[in-house]
Amino acid sequence: MADIDLSRLTKVFPGGVQALNGIDLTVHDGEFFALLGPSGCGKSTLLRTIAGLETASGGAVRIGGREVTALPPGQRDIAMVFQDYALFPHMTVTENIAYPLKIKKVSRAERTARAGRTADALGLGHLGERRPGQLSGGQQQRAALARAMACHPGVFLLDEPLSNLDARMRLEARTFLKKLQRELAVTTVFVTHDQAEALAMADRIAVMDQGGLRQIGTPAEVYRRPTSTFVASFIGSTPMNLLEAEVRSDWIRVAGTDLPLPAGTGAAVHDGETLRYGIRPEYLRWTDQDEPAALRGTVAVVENLGSAQLVTLDCATSTVRVVVPEEQEIALGGPARLVPRGDRALLYRDGALVSPVEPAGDRTPA
Ligand SMILES: Nc1ncnc2c1ncn2[C@@H]1O[C@H](COP(=O)(O)OP(=O)(O)OP(=O)(O)O)[C@@H](O)[C@H]1O
Ligand SMILES: [Mg+2]
C-alpha cells in the first residue's frame, strides 16, 4: 500500500513567496494522478515537497500510512523523474539505471541484473553501452524512467517528463507511460501544464492555481462539470464559451436568445440575476431548422481542426464558438443557429458553479 496523504500542506519560500497554501489531498494506491495548472501555480513545489526535496513549512506528508514529513528523500520510498531527465552524461545507460541501486548498496551482480531487466522491459536492451548524448529524446526519457523503476519504488513522481519531446514522440511516450503505469500499478503523481495530457493519461486530476487546489476529479468530471470558470477555461482544447446571461423566470437570456435553464439550477437562481452561462463548443449542435431555443448569429471565422471545424459565430451580444463535424458545409457570413445540449450547460455565479447537481448518467462509476 503506497497511498499519499497530504494534510494542510504549506510551503513558503525564503523571501515570502507562498507556493502552497494548505493542500489537502489523498492519492490512492496504484492511482495515476495528474497535477495540472498554469506556470508558477506550485505544481513542482508540491511534487518536490512530497519527494522531500523541499521542506514543508507546515502540514504533513504521509506515504503508505507512514509520516514522512521530516524524512530525507532517500527514506521516502519514492523515485522521481524530472523534465530534463538529469541523466549522468559520463555514465552509460546501464550505469545510469544501476546508479541509485549502487547508492542503496545493492551488490554489483544484483544491480547489473536488475538494470538489464529494466532496460529490456523499456526497449533499451541494445543501448546499454551508450551514453545519454548518443540517445534520442524518447530514449533518454525511457532511460530516466528505467533508472527510477529499477529501484521498485512505492511511489513515482514525474515532473513534466514528456515536455522535451516533439509532438509525435510525445503522443507515443504518453501511451507508453500509461501502459507501463497500468502494468506496474505504482502510485504515480504526474505534473503537467498540458490539459490534454492530463485528460488523456490520468485516473484523476487536481487542477491547481496560485498554490491551491481548485478542483479534484476524474477527467470526465473536470471536463463536464468544472466547478469554477477558472477550471472551465483551463480544461478543453477550445475553451468553454462563458457568456453573460440574465435569468428570466424559467428561462435564461443568452446572446439575444431565451434558452431553458440548465438542469438542476432552477431553485438556485433568481429572476433578473446576471450570471455566466458555460457551454463547451463540442456541446453545441449546428442546425438548419428554425428551432426556438437556438442561438442565432453569423459565421465570422471557420478554422479547420482536421476531423471537425471550429466555427466562430457573432451573435447579438457575444461571440460563440462551436465545433462542427466536417461533413457540414459552412459559409462565411451566412446565418447560423446553434442548439445547446441542455444537460451540458452550466451556470456560474462569481466564477463558481451555481448548482453542483449532476445530470443523470453523468456519474463516473466508483
Ligand atoms: N526556490 C524558490 N525560491 C523562491 N520562490 C520559488 C522557488 N521555487 C519556486 N518558487 C516560486 O513558487 C511558485 C511556484 O513555483 P513552481 O515551480 O512550483 O511552479 P510550477 O507550477 O511548477 O510552474 P511551471 O509550470 O512553470 O514549472 C512560483 O511563484 C515560483 O516563482
Ligand atoms: Mg514546474
Side-chain angles (χ1 to χ4, degrees):
M1 267 295 276
D3 52 353
I4 303 168
D5 188 57
L6 311 176
S7 55
R8 312 294 313 145
L9 198 65
T10 56
K11 176 69 189 178
V12 184
F13 282 110
V17 178
Q18 171 115 23
L20 301 175
N21 46 32
I23 303 282
D24 286 306
L25 176 67
T26 301
V27 178
H28 305 305
D29 185 35
E31 192 170 33
F32 199 146
F33 195 93
L35 294 176
L36 173 69
S39 182
C41 72
K43 306 178 295 292
S44 296
T45 305
L46 182 52
L47 201 74
R48 291 169 58 82
T49 310
I50 297 172
L53 296 168
E54 300 288 355
T55 318
S57 311
V61 180
R62 280 181 201 81
I63 297 178
R66 189 169 62 113
E67 162 114 34
V68 298
T69 322
L71 295 183
Q75 292 175 31
R76 294 192 180 200
D77 192 23
I78 50 115
M80 192 156 169
V81 177
F82 300 94
Q83 177 177 352
D84 59 2
Y85 316 137
L87 292 166
F88 302 111
H90 58 286
M91 292 185 193
T92 65
V93 168
T94 307
E95 286 164 354
N96 261 288
I97 299 173
Y99 185 74
L101 299 171
K102 189 173 173 183
I103 300 293
K104 286 191 170 179
K105 306 219 177 345
V106 174
S107 73
R108 177 184 289 271
E110 168 71 13
R111 52 178 204 259
T112 310
R114 254 158 82 173
R117 275 202 305 276
T118 315
D120 282 344
L122 295 189
L124 294 166
H126 60 298
L127 302 172
E129 292 311 306
R130 293 218 199 151
R131 293 181 204 286
Q134 302 166 312
L135 301 177
S136 74
Q139 289 164 341
Q140 288 185 33
Q141 184 225 9
R142 276 183 280 155
L145 286 171
R147 184 175 58 181
M149 271 169 58
C151 305
H152 302 310
V155 171
F156 253 155
L157 302 174
L158 312 175
D159 194 350
E160 309 237 13
L162 308 184
S163 56
N164 277 349
L165 307 178
D166 66 42
R168 195 185 183 87
M169 195 70 176
R170 215 176 151 128
L171 211 66
E172 270 173 38
R174 194 160 101 176
T175 312
F176 169 81
L177 193 57
K178 182 160 179 164
K179 196 159 154 265
L180 183 72
Q181 199 274 340
R182 282 276 175 283
E183 283 164 14
L184 299 174
V186 180
T187 311
T188 301
V189 184
F190 179 92
V191 163
T192 180
H193 62 268
D194 179 346
Q195 57 83 33
E197 204 162 272
L199 288 176
M201 296 175 76
D203 296 318
R204 283 193 306 150
I205 299 171
V207 184
M208 290 186 72
D209 182 36
Q210 296 180 12
L213 300 182
R214 299 295 292 264
Q215 186 170 358
I216 303 170
T218 63
E221 283 162 359
V222 293
Y223 185 78
R224 290 185 190 156
R225 308 286 295 174
T227 54
S228 60
T229 49
F230 174 81
V231 176
S233 25
F234 198 77
I235 301 262
S237 321
T238 317
M240 184 183 272
N241 293 299
L242 288 166
L243 311 170
E244 194 166 296
E246 194 191 320
V247 181
R248 297 189 172 179
S249 62
D250 289 346
W251 296 82
I252 186 145
R253 188 137 187 98
V254 183
T257 308
D258 284 332
L259 300 175
L261 273 175
T265 48
V269 299
H270 318 292
D271 229 10
E273 191 180 9
T274 305
L275 299 161
R276 293 259 149 204
Y277 178 91
I279 184 105
R280 289 207 180 278
E282 296 86 351
Y283 295 155
L284 286 162
R285 179 169 54 82
W286 188 268
T287 178
D288 301 330
Q289 310 301 313
D290 198 12
E291 301 185 37
L295 299 168
R296 289 170 180 74
T298 51
V299 177
V301 182
V302 180
E303 292 164 65
N304 200 324
L305 301 179
S307 63
Q309 299 174 86
L310 177 63
V311 180
T312 304
L313 207 69
D314 284 334
C315 295
T317 53
S318 9
T319 298
V320 181
R321 287 208 173 83
V322 55
V323 173
V324 184
E326 63 180 339
E327 312 81 74
Q328 247 150 341
E329 281 290 318
I330 312 258
L332 267 181
R337 296 180 202 94
L338 304 177
V339 184
R341 267 188 71 176
D343 64 340
R344 290 279 186 257
L346 303 168
L347 282 183
Y348 294 95
R349 179 189 288 123
D350 301 329
L353 197 58
V354 165
S355 167
V357 177
E358 294 276 314
D362 213 24
R363 288 177 199 282
T364 315

